[in-house]
Amino acid sequence: MSSENSQAQLELRHITKQYPGVLANDDISLKVEAGGVHALLGENGAGKSTLVKIIYGVVKPDTGEILWDGKPVQILNPSHARRLGIGMVFQHFNLFDTLTIAENISLGMDNPGDLKTLATRVTEVSEHYGLPIDPRRHVHALSVGERQRVEIVRCLLQDPKLLIMDEPTSVLTPQEVDKLFETLRRLGEEGVSILYISHKLEEIRALCDDATVLRGGKVVATCDPREETSKSLAEMMIGSEIPVMQREASGDLGPPVLEVKGLSVKSDDPFGTSLKDIDLTVRGGEIIGIAGVGGNGQKELLQAISGETPVRDRAAVSIDGQACGRSGPTARRGLGLAFVPEERLGRGAVPEMTLAENTLLTGYQSGMVSRGLIRFGHKRQRATEIRRDFDVRSAGIDSEARSLSGGNLQKFIVGREMGLSPKLLILAYPTWGVDVGAATAIHQAVMDMSRQGVGIVIVSEDLDELFEICDRMAVIAEGRLSPVRNNGETSVEELGLWMSGEFDDEPSGAGAETSHAH
Amino acid sequence: MSEAEIINLIVLTFKSAVPLIFAALGELVVEKSGVLNLGVEGMMLIGAVAGFIGAVTTGSIFVGMLMAMAAAVLVSLIFAVLTLSLLANQVATGLALTIFGIGLSAFIGKPFLGNTIEGLQPWAIPLLSDIPILGPLLFNHDPMLYLAVAAFFGVSWFLYRSRGGLILRSIGESHEAAHALGYPVIRIRYLAVMFGAAMGGLGGAYLSLVLTPQWQEDMTAQRGWIALALVVFATWRPSRVMIGAWLFGALTIVNFYAQSQGVSFSSHLLATLPYFATIIVLVLISWDAAKIRLHAPAALGKPFHASD
């Protein structure tokens, strides 16, 4: 691809960036060709985001050189980067819920002109690239996919020569991913270069012309992803054989540990999603996956099951055969519930407390408190076990929860909840932001636990993850739950279609659900 | 009740609403930027005393108004430095600002107790003020009252029609996102706090220069708190702030009138009526939770510190 005489749109030479304690980028060089789609591949913590921040002018490199159109440049700040023609679509959107799309786009531009003209241009550009959005709508009413379109259109309006996409597909349905790829290919034909950051290997093979693989802050490989396999790419990325999870067939199912019947909840948050008539039965010994695009009622469903928002109807939620719809989290945990919430800092763990103290938060009913006094030895021992068994990398059990990386904290929280020997374990996005090795370890632990008779529910946006470990799967869309299908009797396409809300309200047909449906 | 009497009552209503309009519109802009300044009462008192001293010593009401604004802005800068630069708690600092304002205004106003000035006189708009009924009702007021109405249009236009207002609202909605887009969050919040203080100072000055042209300790009589409440119950919408301010003014005047007519009802209970009724009405017209969320600044009261 990169012949000597063709001039690259962007070239990085020997970029190094040192943070206290971490060498985030170590002598990184790469070339993005004009009109090419270049993949930047690596695990969390490999140095991708630091490198991107350097290109976008957010962070300055310690040493190294950036060439733009063949000329050396110093990128001073994001505004300067935009003037050069670098656009960036962040993984976390910088959008304002209460403003309209046009207002949001205007805020992200240096010379937006007046709102009416801008709105017309938004409509034009969005239709030209197959990203239809109505500039008058408020952002809070948009789906995640539509929000991403807003971010992309915002970049395109400034006629970028290079578009940086940071993990763009993690929030999209499979169908939306296909549409996004059409748009990106179209941009490539029009001469826009794309730097595509991802850890999803299939996507990179389908889309990119070149790939730079980062590991531990260094470039470990450059390749043409179309000539590689997912397996070989993954091995470059993690530097060893990919660990494989041992999947076991589900044995005899126990009695239902979670029964949700006709659960309807009106969301307190005016921008939230209300749950509509949800039925779900989970039996001991099975893993049920709930897929769906974020913001479709996952949060509300999780809170209704965990007891964070008790519901009116006592019988709407039963844990281990006990109706507990009106009970709070403590009562439900007493019935055998363990819960890994979506938000790690703030819900899953108290940021300012140490790991040992966080262990106590959910474990105090299991022998860590005696006659109202904390048994410090027990507490510390339990925390030490979790840290060892789940390979939590921290300075010790007295580190504050907030000092851990997202992945490490997640391992700790999952370990803490599993250690409570629950009958029912609810996991929200268990491997989000966790590297491949650790994700496999978590999956293995979940699998082992279910085969010992624990009922498990996993809410995730990652379909690959759900297909890998779940016995049965459903989709939540606009607050409704789709039919539940056995793994192997459904497909990515079917679930993808359901994610956009297209399923009939047929009684949940497959598998163990039938006995209960009528 | 004669026609002249009714007109007089309505004119008094307009006048008694002016301090609230200034202070509440100012605070609305501050809160829209995501800062909660509970020091409105203190800034109004500082404005009232500084305005009065300025007018007494120079003989010019106009100079008094300028001094009121300048003095209120100066004390608000203490608040701004503490909360925006040093990340102190906004609620506690705002309360301290009020207490500070009460004490400081009493202290520097001591020598001026008992002084009188000729208050700001109505300014009849030629021709229009000659229209029967409407003329005296709408076109025969003091310039500060006109300025308050102009401030309403100005603030509404700024917030919802100008780019500066859009940026200000975006900062109040999510300071992280605004920062990521490259907007100077702290600088804009400083400006908002200073604007709010200038408006609060003007509101206070209206009391000491127009309504009762003299200085008394604590002469704002908790109007700063009412202004704060108005902003919240008006769900951060300028037009509803105006409705609330006029409603409050009208009920205050009705209360005075009833007492002067010798209505035999507990005067203390009657005096609660404006507070009570204004809040009830504003709550009722702002019932819709989704609409509240659409107008409420989500980052209100949250400290912001740029991480990188």
Side-chain angles (χ1 to χ4, degrees), chain B residues 58-138:
Chain B
T58 66
S60 157
I61 299 252
F62 181 69
V63 173
M65 284 165 63
L66 288 183
M67 276 188 62
M69 290 197 279
V73 168
L74 272 180
V75 292
S76 81
L77 280 174
I78 304 174
F79 170 86
V81 169
L82 286 172
T83 57
L84 301 178
S85 299
L86 304 176
L87 306 181
N89 180 297
Q90 295 182 4
V91 171
T93 313
L95 289 173
L97 179 61
T98 285
I99 297 168
F100 176 69
I102 294 172
L104 185 68
S105 62
F107 176 68
I108 57 178
K110 203 104 194 164
F112 296 88
L113 278 173
N115 279 18
T116 50
I117 51 166
E118 195 194 351
L120 197 56
Q121 293 307 304
W123 177 55
I125 297 178
L127 297 179
L128 287 176
S129 60
D130 297 333
I131 305 172
I133 303 180
L134 280 184
L137 215 52
L138 298 179

Side-chain angles (χ1 to χ4, degrees), chain A residues 457-468:
Chain A
V457 178
I458 296 181
V459 174
S460 176
E461 287 171 29
D462 185 346
L463 281 179
D464 297 341
E465 168 174 50
L466 295 177
F467 273 100
E468 196 181 336

Side-chain angles (χ1 to χ4, degrees), chain A residues 85-357:
Chain A
I86 302 175
M88 166 126 188
V89 177
F90 289 91
Q91 191 181 4
H92 302 284
F93 305 146
N94 288 313
L95 296 176
F96 304 94
D97 279 347
T98 59
L99 305 181
T100 64
I101 291 179
E103 287 174 330
N104 266 286
I105 288 179
S106 147
L107 280 167
M109 294 174 68
D110 293 318
N111 295 304
D114 74 293
L115 277 179
K116 270 194 196 126
T117 328
L118 182 66
T120 324
R121 281 187 62 210
V122 168
T123 313
E124 280 167 17
V125 170
S126 69
E127 276 166 9
H128 177 74
Y129 290 103
L131 304 159
I133 46 174
D134 175 356
R136 288 163 304 184
R137 289 179 72 196
H138 281 96
V139 166
H140 67 81
L142 303 181
S143 72
V144 187
E146 288 172 314
R147 285 174 198 225
Q148 187 181 55
R149 282 186 212 161
V150 177
E151 289 272 6
I152 297 175
V153 169
R154 170 149 81 187
C155 290
L156 295 184
L157 278 171
Q158 324 217 36
D159 301 319
K161 291 183 195 141
L162 170 70
L163 192 59
I164 307 172
M165 309 277 301
D166 189 2
E167 304 272 1
T169 58
S170 55
V171 295
L172 303 180
T173 66
Q175 283 81 359
E176 285 176 319
V177 171
D178 290 342
K179 289 204 84 172
L180 174 68
F181 282 9
E182 276 173 36
T183 305
L184 294 182
R185 288 197 188 99
R186 174 147 198 185
L187 283 167
E189 284 161 20
E190 292 179 12
V192 179
S193 316
I194 291 162
L195 184 61
Y196 189 88
I197 299 152
S198 184
H199 62 266
K200 293 196 180 171
L201 309 165
E202 285 302 331
E203 285 177 2
I204 285 177
R205 292 185 52 225
L207 183 72
C208 303
D209 316 315
D210 274 307
T212 300
V213 186
L214 296 186
R215 188 170 71 231
K218 290 196 182 83
V219 176
V220 289
T222 48
C223 59
D224 180 347
R226 289 165 299 195
E227 289 166 9
E228 301 289 332
T229 63
S230 289
K231 190 164 180 295
S232 64
L233 284 174
E235 283 169 8
M236 288 180 212
M237 186 165 89
I238 63 176
S240 58
E241 292 270 315
I242 328 158
V244 183
M245 195 193 65
Q246 300 298 317
R247 191 184 164 83
E248 285 174 54
S250 57
D252 292 333
L253 296 184
V257 287
L258 172 69
E259 283 174 284
V260 179
K261 285 183 208 149
L263 174 70
S264 295
V265 178
K266 192 160 182 342
S267 179
D268 287 340
D269 179 357
F271 298 169
T273 310
S274 296
L275 300 178
K276 295 165 200 100
D277 198 22
I278 287 185
D279 288 299
L280 178 70
T281 302
V282 182
R283 308 174 74 126
E286 68 173 343
I287 306 176
I288 292 199
I290 297 179
V293 176
N296 269 288
Q298 286 95 333
K299 195 175 94 194
E300 289 78 6
L301 179 63
L302 288 165
Q303 292 187 351
I305 295 178
S306 73
E308 205 172 316
T309 47
V311 291
R312 284 237 177 88
D313 179 7
R314 229 185 125 62
V317 181
S318 305
I319 292 174
D320 198 26
Q322 307 265 341
C324 59
R326 291 183 172 188
S327 315
T330 310
R332 295 192 195 193
R333 281 181 176 271
L335 293 173
L337 166 77
F339 178 49
V340 177
E342 172 181 11
E343 227 177 297
R344 287 163 200 178
L345 287 174
R347 276 211 164 79
V350 179
E352 294 81 12
M353 286 189 176
T354 66
L355 294 185
E357 287 165 338

Side-chain angles (χ1 to χ4, degrees), chain B residues 12-293:
Chain B
L12 280 175
T13 294
F14 284 148
K15 290 176 92 136
S16 67
V18 169
L20 291 178
I21 293 175
F22 276 124
L25 286 177
E27 179 68 11
L28 186 141
V29 171
V30 177
E31 292 192 12
K32 273 286 189 186
S33 81
V35 179
L36 181 64
N37 183 355
L38 294 182
V40 180
E41 178 82 0
M43 298 185 302
M44 286 180 81
L45 279 168
I46 295 286
V49 75
F52 187 74
I53 293 174
V56 167
T57 48
T58 66
S60 157
I61 299 252
F62 181 69
V63 173
M65 284 165 63
L66 288 183
M67 276 188 62
M69 290 197 279
V73 168
L74 272 180
V75 292
S76 81
L77 280 174
I78 304 174
F79 170 86
V81 169
L82 286 172
T83 57
L84 301 178
S85 299
L86 304 176
L87 306 181
N89 180 297
Q90 295 182 4
V91 171
T93 313
L95 289 173
L97 179 61
T98 285
I99 297 168
F100 176 69
I102 294 172
L104 185 68
S105 62
F107 176 68
I108 57 178
K110 203 104 194 164
F112 296 88
L113 278 173
N115 279 18
T116 50
I117 51 166
E118 195 194 351
L120 197 56
Q121 293 307 304
W123 177 55
I125 297 178
L127 297 179
L128 287 176
S129 60
D130 297 333
I131 305 172
I133 303 180
L134 280 184
L137 215 52
L138 298 179
F139 303 112
N140 189 18
H141 292 296
D142 58 86
M144 277 182 85
L145 195 147
Y146 295 128
L147 185 64
V149 176
F152 160 69
F153 288 110
V155 165
S156 306
W157 178 87
F158 171 76
L159 282 179
Y160 296 103
R161 290 279 177 274
S162 77
R163 181 156 175 87
L166 179 61
I167 294 170
L168 182 108
R169 284 187 290 142
S170 78
I171 288 173
E173 170 73 23
S174 164
H175 44 221
E176 286 96 0
H179 172 70
L181 291 175
Y183 292 107
V185 173
I186 299 295
R187 196 193 313 161
I188 289 171
R189 285 188 170 165
Y190 261 95
L191 292 174
V193 167
M194 288 162 70
F195 173 77
M199 294 282 279
L202 269 185
Y206 192 78
L207 292 166
S208 64
L209 298 179
V210 184
L211 269 186
T212 48
Q214 54 178 314
W215 164 249
Q216 294 163 352
E217 280 181 26
D218 262 342
M219 72 182 305
T220 50
Q222 318 302 321
R223 282 183 180 83
W225 297 108
I226 293 297
L228 271 166
L230 276 183
V231 174
V232 176
F233 290 112
T235 58
W236 295 273
R237 275 179 274 187
S239 53
R240 295 187 178 198
V241 164
M242 298 299 278
I243 295 175
W246 280 325
L247 192 63
F248 187 86
L251 291 166
T252 315
I253 297 303
V254 165
N255 177 30
F256 281 136
Y257 181 76
Q259 284 182 27
S260 72
Q261 298 295 304
V263 172
S264 60
F265 190 73
S266 161
S267 64
H268 292 295
L269 273 184
L270 214 52
T272 64
L273 185 69
Y275 302 84
F276 192 65
T278 305
I279 286 170
I280 295 287
V281 168
L282 286 174
V283 166
L284 288 181
I285 61 174
S286 318
W287 197 245
D288 187 347
K291 286 249 173 69
I292 292 179
R293 176 65 192 87

Side-chain angles (χ1 to χ4, degrees), chain A residues 413-429:
Chain A
I413 296 170
V414 170
R416 180 188 72 187
E417 295 303 308
M418 286 191 164
L420 299 173
S421 355
K423 291 175 183 150
L424 169 65
L425 175 64
I426 311 283
L427 298 149
Y429 311 97

